[in-house]
Amino acid sequence: MSNSTEIISTQKVLQCVTFPPRGFSLGFFKKGSTPWIYSVPTIESQILIIYLLTQLFHCPLKRIGFPKIASEIFAGLILGSTFLGRYKSYQEKVFPLPSQSILGALTTFGFLLFLFLSGVKMDTSMTRKIGKRALVIGFLNHLAPLITCMITVFALSSDFNQEGVTPLSIPVEVISIAKTSFPVISYLLKDLGLLNSELGRLALSSALISDLVGLTIHAFIFLIVIGAKNTIQRAITDAILLIAFIIVVIFVFRPLMMWIVKRTPEGRPVKDLYILMIVLAVLLSGVFSAWFEQTVLFGPLIFGLAVPEGPPLGSTLVDKLDPFTSGFLLPIFVTVMSLRTNLSAINPSASYTFANIILLCVGSITKILACLLPMLYCKMPLNDAAAISLIMSTRGVVDLASYSFLRDDKIINQASFAFMVIATAVTSIFVQIMVKWLYDPSRKYVGYQRRNLMNSNKKLPILVCIHNPDNTAAILRLLEKSNPTRDFPIVSNVLHLIELRGRASSVFISHQVQTKAITDVAYSENVILAFQGFERNNYGAVTIQAFTAISPRNLMHEDICTLSLDVLASIIILPFHRKWAVDGSVEIEDQGLRTLNSSVLERAPCSVAILVDRGQLKRSTSVRASENVYCIAILFLGGNDDQEALAFAKRMAISGTISLTVIRLISNQDVSCDVDEVIDLDIVGDWKQSRSSWENVKYIEHYVHETTEIALLVRSLVDDYDLIITGRRNNTHSPLTAGLEEWTEIPELGVIGDMLASKDLKTRASVLVIQQQQTTL
């Protein structure tokens, strides 16, 4: 097929374009050939330039709290007609019109998949459980600015009636200002680390309601526009097709998705054939939505709502498509949208520009007040109410896409488009910085009350965390040896933590309140049953309260610390990040779990213990252990953490089936006594005196001359006990461990705990490392 030449006119500039565009170049070294006249190397160069410039902006700007979308917009403005695009040679070689069209189509496909995945991540069941606050905020957040903006338009009608402004431009602009996008709110909360906070859950619920209201109004307005442009009969036909499409999605595709879920065995991946068929259906839904005069993006979003969120289907789609969509295509899409922006189209002295600024300010202020006032009425703190109000007024990639499509359809002009792009950048920057300043989720963990084992009474509230069923046996054995009796009862709050996959919103479930389980909670069933069986076997001595939290791994510490605060726990018990095999080798080393444990240690509003389970706390090779006695040792060096460990051992020793040995290590290098050492002496002295008549408790003192003796002593003890308890000794410096601190591989366990959990140490003795509460004022 021979190439033909056409003349394309854009912005009053004639440019000669060859069709079809040539794909691959002959290379730099081919005589007379340049790669810039070929589409593939040109698009590859454009993508590289966009990413380099975006990162050049984002690296310094993220340090002052700017969101990534701001850097992507700035990169597009630099590369577009506002700055570099003014030079003809640059535009012809680097961003020629044909390649812009190809790149725009590619990234629009990415945005189509992004909206589909946003629909997949939406938990539509939230609408049945949304509280009154979220419902009120969701409706007011959309309707209030819609009304005030319409009043503003009528008041400034003379300023809006300008040449080049279409009759539909202002109403559509009003709808865009009033709109709140669920995907935008979700991504903002993810960036801020607030997805599983109380504020984040309220914002997501409100955004879901507001987005559904906006989607309904948007579809209705489109039908009115069709009736105005064509005929009433055409509008009615499109309305019937729209309703039929939604009915087919609900009653045909949704059951098909559930059938796929049922056909997929638990723990097995979804078949690739199903994934390919779903992607094909997504593309067809876009084509079909264009038949009834909706955008090609309407169909994929509605179709995404038919996919069950979470594993196995929703999470598989997100895992396969989201990295390429959100990580690669979507940033380019934002930059391409900004690249088409010409800021010179905005006339600062024009009354139309002034009217647009007034309209945007009125809409934004109304959005904020529509959320702020109901929250203040509900007695929410001012900072929290202001933060959620700002979150609900933010703008993002969905808004940019709406403005771009409206400009392509010539519903809004270039000046309005440029103005809205700048408004999106400014709003996203302002909101993210202000929310970080107003709302700090960690401040609620700081209190005046001492919540630790030393200050607890006979009733011991504990929070135990389970990441997978393998953690259950070790935790249950530890609880069993913690002496639960009617005189010394234990309230065990069991939190099963599941990583958020295939969902936009985190989920927190109290199984005492919510009996109907969702898909992921089926994985909690075995864990809950095991702990309920333990409760039955220790009736009156143990109370079990079960919870499930589905959240991102990097935010799980928020669920743990918040729940410990709510249940007034004295100690949190966490599983160690290593799992040992039967032969003593390390089977799994989960670095994500290690990071989580470190985050909990830093923020917890109570004491924290990390359980290092070797062989699921089975019997060790202890030469001291008889058939019915469980041997425990505590290494006491001094300090708050060791005192806390001693308090836990004291409780365990009340049981006659426990043999406890307290080993106090004393340095003979330091003869002076500071205040902490005096406290240690008092505590140990009182403990010795009160337990002097107990046959199952032994007290041993070891005088240590140098640090190497500690390492030898620890290695000699591991085969004599089933469980060794020690304090983390955080921020506690002692001549006993001074030479060992620099060799510590796992600082969250402390020096002694690190030696006991070493890979090189072949033993079946488990370890419990305890840190006393740190977050008191």
Side-chain angles (χ1 to χ4, degrees):
M1 179 179 177
S2 61
N3 292 338
S4 60
T5 302
E6 295 186 9
I7 304 295
I8 293 182
S9 176
T10 173
Q11 298 179 356
K12 299 182 180 180
V13 177
L14 295 177
Q15 185 173 0
C16 188
V17 178
T18 302
F19 285 102
R22 287 170 285 187
F24 296 92
S25 72
L26 302 177
F28 277 104
F29 303 103
K30 182 71 175 180
K31 185 176 181 181
S33 174
T34 172
W36 310 118
I37 63 174
Y38 299 91
S39 58
V40 173
T42 302
I43 291 174
E44 290 173 342
S45 302
Q46 290 171 353
I47 292 174
L48 180 62
I49 291 170
I50 287 172
Y51 266 95
L52 288 176
L53 191 57
T54 299
Q55 293 303 316
L56 187 64
F57 275 112
H58 187 57
C59 286
L61 292 180
K62 69 181 179 182
R63 301 182 184 275
I64 56 176
F66 280 37
K68 191 175 182 182
I69 189 174
S71 302
E72 293 161 358
I73 292 175
F74 293 158
L77 294 176
I78 295 295
L79 297 173
S81 55
T82 302
F83 293 99
L84 295 179
R86 293 181 175 183
Y87 302 99
K88 184 178 179 181
S89 58
Y90 161 84
Q91 188 173 18
E92 290 178 350
K93 291 183 178 180
V94 182
F95 281 94
L97 287 178
S99 64
Q100 283 192 39
S101 301
I102 298 172
L103 188 61
L106 176 65
T107 55
T108 301
F109 170 73
F111 183 70
L112 181 148
L113 289 178
F114 167 76
L115 283 185
F116 164 69
L117 293 176
S118 298
V120 172
K121 295 176 185 178
M122 285 187 188
D123 185 2
T124 52
S125 63
M126 288 174 57
T127 55
R128 300 192 299 268
K129 299 175 285 187
I130 286 178
K132 293 181 180 179
R133 286 194 305 177
L135 200 62
V136 170
I137 292 174
F139 274 99
L140 289 180
N141 180 258
H142 193 93
L143 298 179
L146 192 64
I147 295 171
T148 55
C149 286
M150 290 173 63
I151 295 173
T152 305
V153 168
F154 283 118
L156 302 175
S157 57
S158 58
D159 296 318
F160 284 110
N161 292 329
Q162 302 288 330
E163 183 179 354
V165 179
T166 63
L168 290 174
S169 176
I170 303 305
V172 167
E173 195 171 327
V174 168
I175 294 173
S176 300
I177 292 174
K179 181 181 179 182
T180 297
S181 173
F182 180 88
V184 171
I185 302 296
S186 175
Y187 270 78
L188 173 63
L189 293 172
K190 184 178 179 181
D191 290 341
L192 293 172
L194 300 178
L195 264 182
N196 57 345
S197 65
E198 183 181 357
L199 191 78
R201 291 190 176 99
L202 179 59
L204 279 177
S205 300
S206 304
L208 179 60
I209 294 296
S210 184
D211 205 2
L212 292 176
V213 172
L215 197 63
T216 304
I217 294 175
H218 180 270
F220 183 70
I221 293 296
F222 257 81
L223 293 177
I224 294 177
V225 171
I226 295 166
K229 280 186 174 182
N230 301 292
T231 61
I232 299 297
Q233 184 179 0
R234 177 62 184 274
I236 294 174
T237 303
D238 289 334
I240 293 173
L241 289 174
L242 173 61
I243 296 171
F245 173 71
I246 295 175
I247 291 174
V248 169
V249 167
I250 295 173
F251 295 103
V252 177
F253 285 107
R254 177 73 177 183
L256 281 175
M257 300 298 173
M258 299 305 296
W259 178 81
I260 293 175
V261 171
K262 292 178 180 178
R263 292 269 298 179
T264 303
E266 184 176 340
R268 299 293 299 275
V270 180
K271 292 182 179 179
D272 290 340
L273 176 63
Y274 296 150
I275 301 298
L276 292 174
M277 294 300 293
I278 290 173
V279 172
L280 179 61
V282 170
L283 301 178
L284 292 176
S285 68
V287 175
F288 186 75
S289 61
W291 288 356
F292 48 85
E293 303 296 335
Q294 298 291 326
T295 66
V296 294
L297 306 174
F298 179 84
L301 177 62
I302 300 298
F303 188 79
L305 295 174
V307 180
E309 73 284 349
L313 185 56
S315 59
T316 302
L317 286 168
V318 171
D319 291 343
K320 287 182 177 291
L321 300 178
D322 197 53
F324 179 69
T325 301
S326 299
F328 178 69
L329 292 178
L330 199 63
I332 303 175
F333 176 77
V334 174
T335 304
V336 170
M337 296 301 100
S338 307
L339 186 144
R340 304 168 64 192
T341 305
N342 188 0
L343 296 184
S344 61
I346 302 175
N347 184 1
S349 60
S351 59
Y352 178 71
T353 303
F354 177 75
N356 265 321
I357 294 174
I358 296 295
L359 184 64
L360 181 65
C361 291
V362 168
S364 300
I365 292 173
T366 306
K367 262 181 172 292
I368 293 173
L369 291 178
C371 297
L372 182 65
L373 296 180
M375 292 298 95
L376 293 178
Y377 178 78
C378 296
K379 308 299 182 183
M380 180 179 281
L382 179 60
N383 279 13
D384 295 0
I388 194 171
S389 303
L390 289 171
I391 289 172
M392 293 298 294
S393 64
T394 192
R395 303 179 190 283
V397 61
V398 177
D399 304 280
L400 273 180
S402 301
Y403 307 146
S404 179
F405 297 145
L406 291 172
R407 196 204 72 161
D408 291 343
D409 293 337
K410 298 182 179 179
I411 295 176
I412 62 174
N413 57 22
Q414 179 64 38
S416 297
F417 175 68
F419 180 79
M420 298 307 290
V421 169
I422 295 301
T424 300
V426 172
T427 303
S428 63
I429 293 169
F430 176 76
V431 167
Q432 184 143 326
I433 292 176
M434 288 301 298
V435 171
K436 285 183 178 179
W437 180 70
L438 287 169
Y439 185 74
D440 180 12
S442 63
R443 71 185 177 209
K444 62 187 175 184
Y445 307 137
V446 181
Y448 296 94
Q449 184 180 1
R450 301 292 298 183
R451 291 171 52 207
N452 50 50
L453 296 171
M454 294 182 65
N455 291 276
S456 64
N457 51 26
K458 292 184 178 181
K459 184 178 181 180
L460 180 61
I462 298 177
L463 173 62
V464 297
C465 299
I466 304 293
H467 292 275
N468 56 69
D470 294 334
N471 306 141
T472 305
I475 295 289
L476 285 174
R477 179 61 62 88
L478 181 64
L479 292 178
E480 180 185 352
K481 301 304 178 182
S482 299
N483 187 39
T485 63
R486 292 179 183 271
D487 295 328
F488 296 91
I490 291 178
V491 179
S492 179
N493 302 277
V494 182
L495 178 60
H496 188 200
L497 295 155
I498 300 175
E499 186 174 1
L500 181 72
R501 295 175 59 221
R503 272 197 182 92
S505 55
S506 60
V507 179
F508 187 86
I509 298 169
S510 172
H511 293 281
Q512 291 70 242
V513 178
Q514 295 169 264
T515 56
K516 292 184 179 180
I518 56 177
T519 307
D520 297 282
V521 184
Y523 295 111
S524 300
E525 185 177 359
N526 292 335
V527 173
I528 296 170
L529 289 175
F531 279 91
Q532 287 176 344
F534 178 67
E535 181 182 23
R536 287 192 299 270
N537 294 335
N538 296 271
Y539 182 76
V542 175
T543 303
I544 298 294
Q545 295 182 349
F547 305 88
T548 297
I550 306 172
S551 58
R553 177 65 73 90
N554 63 323
L555 298 178
M556 283 181 179
H557 62 272
E558 294 288 343
D559 289 316
I560 296 171
C561 296
T562 301
L563 182 59
S564 68
L565 197 67
D566 293 339
V567 301
L568 303 177
S570 294
I571 187 169
I572 301 169
I573 300 178
L574 305 171
F576 191 48
H577 67 272
R578 283 179 186 163
K579 179 185 176 183
W580 275 267
V582 177
D583 60 356
S585 62
V586 176
E587 183 179 349
I588 297 174
E589 189 154 0
D590 189 344
Q591 292 300 323
L593 180 54
R594 180 181 178 182
T595 303
L596 172 62
N597 290 346
S598 299
S599 299
V600 175
L601 287 169
E602 292 174 5
R603 297 171 175 82
C606 61
S607 297
V608 181
I610 297 179
L611 177 60
V612 182
D613 174 38
R614 291 179 182 263
Q616 290 74 49
L617 275 179
K618 293 178 182 177
R619 301 293 295 164
S620 75
T621 56
S622 170
V623 296
R624 301 188 182 189
S626 64
E627 185 177 353
N628 298 319
V629 177
Y630 194 82
C631 295
I632 300 175
I634 173 171
L635 296 176
F636 188 92
L637 281 75
N640 292 336
D641 294 346
D642 281 357
Q643 293 168 14
E644 191 76 355
L646 190 62
F648 191 72
K650 169 185 172 181
R651 185 182 183 95
M652 300 178 75
I654 299 175
S655 172
T657 60
I658 295 295
S659 173
L660 176 63
T661 303
V662 180
I663 304 171
R664 186 180 178 211
L665 304 181
I666 304 172
S667 173
N668 56 11
Q669 298 178 3
D670 188 6
V671 296
S672 62
C673 287
D674 57 17
V675 176
D676 291 336
E677 289 178 349
V678 172
I679 295 174
D680 290 338
L681 289 172
D682 290 341
I683 291 174
V684 173
D686 293 341
W687 195 87
K688 287 170 60 180
Q689 184 177 1
S690 62
R691 302 292 176 261
S692 58
S693 61
W694 290 20
E695 296 181 356
N696 63 325
V697 176
K698 297 179 182 179
Y699 177 79
I700 302 173
E701 289 184 352
H702 278 282
Y703 286 88
V704 181
H705 297 274
E706 55 186 18
T707 55
T708 55
E709 293 184 29
I710 294 182
L712 294 174
L713 176 64
V714 168
R715 289 181 176 274
S716 67
L717 293 174
V718 292
D719 290 330
D720 292 343
Y721 299 95
D722 299 291
L723 176 66
I724 300 175
I725 304 175
T726 183
R728 184 191 177 196
R729 297 179 52 78
N730 188 39
N731 297 325
T732 302
H733 301 284
S734 169
L736 291 170
T737 58
L740 299 173
E741 292 175 354
E742 60 186 31
W743 299 98
T744 302
E745 296 180 358
I746 311 172
E748 60 268 26
L749 294 183
V751 174
I752 304 299
D754 178 73
M755 287 192 290
L756 292 169
S758 173
K759 296 179 182 179
D760 301 327
L761 200 62
K762 302 299 182 182
T763 178
R764 297 186 70 85
S766 296
V767 183
L768 187 69
V769 180
I770 299 178
Q771 173 187 281
Q772 195 179 67
Q773 177 191 12
Q774 293 186 321
T775 54
T776 54
L777 294 177

